[in-house]
Amino acid sequence: MQDQYILALDQGTTSSRAMLFDRRGNVVANAQKEFRQIYPHPGWVEHDPQDIWSTQAGVAAEAVTHAGVAGSSIAAIGITNQRETTIVWDRDTGQPIYNAIVWQDRRTASFCDDLKARGFEATVRAKTGLPIDSYFSATKIRWILDHVDGAREKARAGRLAFGTVDSWLVWNFTRRALHVTDATNASRTMLFNIHTLQWDDELLALFDIPRSMLPTVRSSSEVYGAAQTAVFAPDIPLAGIAGDQHAALFGQMCVRPGMVKNTYGTGCFLVMNTGTQPIESSRNLVTTLAWQIGGETHYALEGSIFIAGAVVQWLRDGLGIIRRASDIEALAASVADADGVYLVPAFAGLGAPHWNARARGTLFGVTRGTQAAHIARAALDSIAYQSLDVLDAMRADAGIRIDELRVDGGACVNDLLMQFQADILGVDVARPRVSETTALGAAYLAGLAVGFWRDVDELQQQWKLDRSFSPKLPRDDVAHSIAGWQRAVRAAKAWADDGDDGA
């Protein structure tokens, strides 16, 4: 397999990407395309499932073409995807019956509040490791069944299929032959029992979702079937699937309990490997599957931050204070600090460890002297502060000392942010040479399934450090900054709790 490659398909929230990796884990080719974001109402976020499919298929073909390789040179395809995003389609026509409801969408927040008020929180968390929240797939499926004409009747007749984005891609790549998902994506639906590793009948009844809609759950690394589209030569194995954060954890080679990574994408996601036993969080973190390989299941603690890189997009598209996302580092670095300005970017509510669906973005500490640079600095700072909130909860839940945070995703190239992250956390921040470890993780999972790589020990030798950031800011200054952030979060929560924003 020396002249062969693994193709990783990374279907994200704002773009679809394809990367071709060689046996050393190097990127041979890369293609990416953004697609339309749909905002029908405040707090609602949707995608056109056909946009997801067409852009992903398009960049896959583009990456292979750029590399100048034949389809026969691709040993396997791995898929990683934005999680929780919910698609329901007609099994007969293959057409979606509604837009994809994105993980950020908050339209079912009131229904979740009702379930919690009725006392279901403990049951759901015990079975799934998840809090009841509109972030996850179950209430999104229910919403579609309740609001699309004829959907419930079709579902009861077995004519509808539900899938997270991985399922939708496999369905299309195999020309409707396979309706599958992997255990990591299943664990994000609020319908999957992470202890029995099965869809849970009690949860299906609670959300009134027919079992016939659900995909078959498979491991994260195995041959599911073959791609049968015109995009590739036929019979390329589809051999690895994992939700984006799980793939990033694996791509970062966080394979031992206590190892932690943070992915800086549209959202921000800290994940800690906790080994083969789940750890129940008492601090509003999520207990989830890390991956399932060779019959062995690994678990993780996760803290999901809804808005990270998206705050930079907001500065670019909403406020217009930067022209390109990459401009933020120079603008933010033009001032010594945020000058007392704090931005709580709760544009889609607050995620872990707060889980306040009604919170909204709030800017504090603005004076007549506040400049665009201070707001840019506060925006970057907010990513680091939110990560601190999660890591503190993670350290307490796991009872494990954390000395290093491995980082990846688009914003990890921002040296200013990475240094501030190290200062605020008080730990070393390690950035690998291959920063797009989400795609790399998907490639690793697929490659292991077909023998492209021998084992995890071989993969661990490929992880290489690009740069390490060590804490430099005096701890008194850090404590003062953190106190200001915590005050801003308390104020943002108070604003949310003292009114009705219509969510």
Side-chain angles (χ1 to χ4, degrees), residues 221-238:
S221 180
E222 64 174 278
V223 176
Y224 313 107
Q228 294 291 330
T229 69
V231 178
F232 313 111
D235 300 326
I236 298 175
L238 293 164

Side-chain angles (χ1 to χ4, degrees), residues 12-24:
T13 307
T14 59
S15 68
S16 296
R17 177 178 303 183
M19 288 187 173
L20 209 59
F21 290 91
D22 65 17
R23 198 172 182 277
R24 293 185 299 248

Side-chain angles (χ1 to χ4, degrees), residues 402-423:
I402 298 169
D403 296 316
E404 178 188 76
L405 177 70
R406 293 189 173 185
V407 297
D408 56 78
C412 85
V413 301
N414 188 314
D415 289 351
L416 182 69
L417 172 59
M418 292 299 100
Q419 182 58 56
F420 189 68
Q421 186 73 91
D423 290 335

Side-chain angles (χ1 to χ4, degrees), residues 81-96:
N81 56 283
Q82 55 166 315
R83 303 170 303 169
E84 299 95 18
T85 294
T86 297
I87 304 172
V88 176
W89 64 91
D90 189 301
R91 290 183 182 275
D92 296 328
T93 67
Q95 295 300 308

Side-chain angles (χ1 to χ4, degrees), residues 161-408:
F162 150 72
T164 42
V165 169
D166 59 305
S167 296
W168 174 241
L169 293 178
V170 172
W171 172 268
N172 282 284
F173 273 119
T174 61
R175 295 185 179 177
R176 309 182 190 177
L178 286 177
H179 183 210
V180 301
T181 190
D182 91 300
T184 68
N185 280 291
S187 75
R188 311 297 298 190
T189 60
M190 220 158 50
L191 298 171
F192 187 74
N193 189 313
I194 63 172
H195 308 287
T196 66
L197 302 177
Q198 301 288 331
W199 299 118
D200 191 276
D201 287 328
E202 185 179 1
L203 297 176
L204 291 171
L206 176 63
F207 294 103
D208 197 13
I209 296 170
R211 178 181 278 270
S212 62
M213 294 181 67
L214 304 179
T216 301
V217 181
R218 308 276 287 271
S219 76
S220 307
S221 180
E222 64 174 278
V223 176
Y224 313 107
Q228 294 291 330
T229 69
V231 178
F232 313 111
D235 300 326
I236 298 175
L238 293 164
I241 299 174
D244 49 13
Q245 304 316 315
H246 316 263
L249 188 71
F250 195 71
Q252 284 279 31
M253 284 291 101
C254 292
V255 294
R256 296 188 306 277
M259 296 185 74
V260 187
K261 71 88 194 172
N262 195 9
T263 297
Y264 300 81
T266 302
C268 205
F269 302 88
L270 275 89
V271 187
M272 173 193 280
N273 185 332
T274 62
T276 56
Q277 295 298 320
I279 293 177
E280 186 174 346
S281 174
S282 60
R283 292 166 178 82
N284 290 325
L285 299 182
V286 164
T287 303
T288 191
L289 268 68
W291 51 73
Q292 192 178 65
I293 302 175
E296 186 172 74
T297 301
H298 281 248
Y299 292 87
L301 280 174
E302 177 179 328
S304 303
I305 297 163
F306 296 152
I307 300 294
V311 74
V312 180
Q313 294 174 324
W314 174 67
L315 294 181
R316 180 192 67 189
D317 303 333
L319 297 188
I321 66 174
I322 53 174
R323 291 182 59 192
R324 298 179 302 273
S326 58
D327 294 340
I328 190 172
E329 184 171 6
L331 179 60
S334 69
V335 292
D337 53 44
D339 195 29
V341 175
Y342 290 89
L343 172 61
V344 181
F347 304 153
L350 281 171
H354 311 285
W355 292 108
N356 189 318
R358 297 186 180 278
R360 291 294 176 264
T362 320
L363 194 62
F364 297 99
V366 177
T367 68
R368 184 64 181 83
T370 298
Q371 303 169 16
H374 294 119
I375 296 174
R377 187 67 175 256
L380 284 184
D381 290 354
S382 74
I383 300 173
Y385 286 131
Q386 291 178 98
S387 299
L388 169 70
D389 289 347
V390 173
L391 195 67
D392 278 349
M394 200 169 276
R395 284 189 268 221
D397 270 338
I400 299 174
R401 176 184 171 89
I402 298 169
D403 296 316
E404 178 188 76
L405 177 70
R406 293 189 173 185
V407 297
D408 56 78

